[in-house]
Amino acid sequence: MLLIDKYAYINKLASVHPLEKMTFSLGLLLLSLIIRDELISLIAFIVMSAFIILGAKIPWQYYVKLLLLPAFFLLSSLLSIVISIAPNTSALPPYFWALTVSQWTIFIGNESILTAQQLLFTVLGSIGCLYFLILTTSVQSICFVLRQWHLPALFVELAELTYRFIFIFLNSMQKIHLAQQARLGYQSPMQWLRSISMLIAALFAEMFQRSRELNNAMQARGGDAVYWQNNVSYSKKNWIGIVVIFTFLTLFGGFYS
């Protein structure tokens, strides 16, 4: 079990009703995407980070590591937006920096900086909302709420199976990789290539076998997954807090937009 799944069950907010946590996180996510204000997105990220670290008692070191995961994709996206290339003969828009190389000009436009800045804050707010949901709510509780929202059963089951197979895939990969390392399978480039190919083949065969076993098990139970939820009750204080935060951010975003 990965730590991200472990914390979803043992965090200090695990006893809060999953509908409240999903409404709070997804609602704040939609609000940030609709308003598309940098300050609102930053506030959403700070609020969610505070709930994750101070409310759910998730170690801040682990939370920072999780934030570094999408950093590469975010950085590559920002660089592709900020840096532009144009021929020397073309007229450049207002720019912050430019460099001429042969017949091309590499420049950073003022408009691209504003676009990248907006994207950065929007992504930060979205990441904070999603991390709050997955670090405080188990996939069983999420699927339970989705079924309560009358989403198609096939969609909910596929979502859970995809999530579960991530952990099965990683666990199998770690075991096979450890066995290959014990046999010195990564000592040379040729051995590394051979071990990787064998690892991929073994994972494909095992995943195929496990998917068939899981399908047979579900058919033996009638084909429908059963989602249960511990006896947790709604909290009027939590709902009032959610309404207050949404109202404040909506009015704040409308006032400064």
Side-chain angles (χ1 to χ4, degrees), residues 39-173:
L39 189 56
I40 296 297
S41 299
L42 181 60
I43 293 175
F45 175 74
I46 295 175
V47 169
M48 286 303 184
S49 299
F51 274 105
I52 291 173
I53 298 174
L54 302 178
K57 302 299 181 183
I58 304 296
W60 67 269
Q61 300 92 334
Y62 181 70
Y63 180 56
V64 171
K65 290 181 180 179
L66 289 179
L67 291 177
L68 294 177
L69 291 177
F72 171 77
F73 302 99
L74 178 59
L75 180 61
S76 60
S77 300
L78 293 178
L79 289 178
S80 63
I81 293 174
V82 170
I83 300 177
S84 303
I85 302 176
N88 290 339
T89 55
S90 62
L92 298 181
Y95 60 89
F96 172 76
W97 173 85
L99 175 65
T100 301
V101 179
S102 183
Q103 298 180 354
W104 300 92
T105 300
I106 304 174
F107 66 97
I108 299 177
N110 295 336
E111 188 68 25
S112 61
I113 294 178
L114 296 177
T115 303
Q117 181 178 335
Q118 186 181 40
L119 175 63
L120 173 63
F121 285 100
T122 302
V123 170
L124 281 179
S126 303
I127 290 175
C129 295
L130 293 178
Y131 275 168
F132 171 80
L133 179 61
I134 63 177
L135 285 172
T136 61
T137 312
S138 64
V139 65
Q140 181 76 25
S141 300
I142 293 176
C143 292
F144 172 80
V145 175
L146 294 179
R147 291 299 297 270
Q148 294 297 312
W149 286 348
H150 302 287
L151 266 70
L154 179 61
F155 172 80
V156 179
E157 292 176 6
L158 286 177
E160 186 193 18
L161 291 177
T162 302
Y163 184 83
R164 293 300 182 189
F165 263 96
I166 292 175
F167 297 98
I168 296 175
F169 179 83
L170 291 177
N171 186 39
S172 301
M173 183 183 67

Side-chain angles (χ1 to χ4, degrees), residues 181-200:
Q181 283 185 325
R183 297 183 178 90
L184 305 179
Y186 296 92
Q187 294 299 308
S188 65
M190 290 301 298
Q191 288 179 336
W192 181 89
L193 184 61
R194 180 173 178 271
S195 298
I196 288 295
S197 61
M198 294 176 63
L199 175 63
I200 295 175

